Amino acid sequence: ASWRLEVTDRGGHSSLPHPGNPIYVLAAGLGRLERYQFPVQLNEITRTFFERSALTQTGQLAADMRAVIATPPDSGALARLTASPHFNGKLRTTCVATRLEGGHADNALPQAARAVVNCRILPGTPAADVAATLRWVLADERISLAPIDSATPSPPSPLTPAIMEPIERLVERQFPGVPVIPVMESGATDGLYLRNAGIPTYGISAVFEDPEDVRAHGRDERIGVRAYYDALEFWYQLLRTFGGK
């Protein structure tokens, strides 16, 4: 879900600055948001992700993955994992400024400054709670907050043996030794419509990629030729398995 932040003022000539400049007010609020972290919120999928991922890692990272799913989670492990954008997006709801505009002329005080904040909300967290948190973090009544769209929450799909075991058998057959690790997608998918209709929904990725070369949504988005054909074969066998043929 996204929210629009806006600050307005009477403006004036730039040679006569006065308190309440919308750009400064908005920038200060966004700075507070940048420094804020939503609380950790783990579920069945993210706990299993860290539990199984720990088996593929060594040293401090493996230890941190095991420690973060303890009760309570280890604060040091949590801080180290939070420093990674990849892991942070699986630990908590995130809100980030994605657009910014302000002012209308080089020689005039701004009459308005606006920003868009995009939030990726973890399952089980109402959008209204996120909005309330944003207002608390921004901590300035001069910054208005208005929803741009409506969040459509959906429940996470359970990791049942009927789902996991056939996938694990297929992976072992085609990619021996490769672990199956459930992941909570930190982006968004249209699976929410099926989940809200009571149909558990899963995305199965069989595309091997370079984790240091992520080009998703870029003009040069790409995957390897072999990775493409390997994934195509896996998905074909997956559909046959779950289709009962």
Side-chain angles (χ1 to χ4, degrees):
S2 294
W3 280 268
R4 179 178 291 105
L5 281 55
E6 184 174 23
V7 182
T8 59
D9 185 68
R10 69 180 186 275
H13 197 276
S14 61
S15 65
L16 301 171
H18 57 260
N21 185 311
I23 292 177
Y24 294 152
V25 173
L26 182 59
L30 291 175
R32 289 187 287 273
L33 178 60
E34 180 187 19
R35 294 185 293 273
Y36 177 76
Q37 291 179 343
F38 281 80
V40 173
Q41 182 182 344
L42 297 177
N43 56 38
E44 179 192 21
I45 296 171
T46 50
R47 286 184 180 279
T48 305
F49 167 79
F50 285 113
E51 179 183 23
R52 293 196 179 192
S53 293
L55 301 176
T56 71
Q57 304 294 332
T58 58
Q60 187 66 63
L61 180 55
D64 287 346
M65 287 179 167
R66 287 190 290 267
V68 81
I69 59 177
T71 304
D74 179 80
S75 59
L78 182 58
R80 287 185 289 271
L81 292 175
T82 293
S84 165
H86 176 68
F87 297 132
N88 184 53
K90 293 173 173 52
L91 288 168
R92 54 172 56 86
T93 290
T94 60
C95 290
V96 61
T98 55
R99 297 184 65 182
L100 182 65
E101 61 176 310
H104 60 279
D106 294 346
N107 60 352
L109 299 176
Q111 291 179 290
R114 304 176 185 88
V116 171
V117 169
N118 180 256
C119 298
R120 302 301 169 129
I121 305 172
L122 264 63
T125 300
D129 289 0
V130 176
T133 299
L134 288 174
R135 290 190 181 91
W136 177 77
V137 173
L138 294 170
D140 195 323
E141 293 182 353
R142 293 172 294 179
I143 305 175
S144 68
L145 185 72
I148 294 176
D149 48 27
S150 299
T152 306
S154 62
S157 299
L159 301 177
T160 63
I163 291 294
M164 296 298 294
E165 290 177 1
I167 295 172
E168 290 169 337
R169 288 196 300 269
L170 287 171
V171 169
E172 183 59 30
R173 183 191 309 165
Q174 186 169 341
F175 308 113
V178 173
V180 176
I181 302 177
V183 177
M184 182 187 68
E185 175 58 59
S186 56
T189 80
D190 286 339
L192 68 91
Y193 299 108
L194 295 172
R195 290 194 296 273
N196 282 330
I199 304 172
T201 306
Y202 308 84
I204 312 297
S205 175
V207 178
F208 285 78
E209 299 177 278
D210 180 356
E212 303 301 325
D213 187 42
V214 178
R215 304 186 183 212
H217 302 328
R219 293 181 176 179
D220 57 354
E221 184 172 3
R222 66 184 186 181
I223 62 173
V225 173
R226 179 178 175 181
Y228 169 80
Y229 285 106
D230 283 349
L232 193 64
E233 174 62 21
F234 179 84
W235 289 328
Y236 173 68
Q237 297 301 332
L238 184 76
L239 289 170
R240 285 175 57 89
T241 297
F242 281 102
K245 296 182 179 180

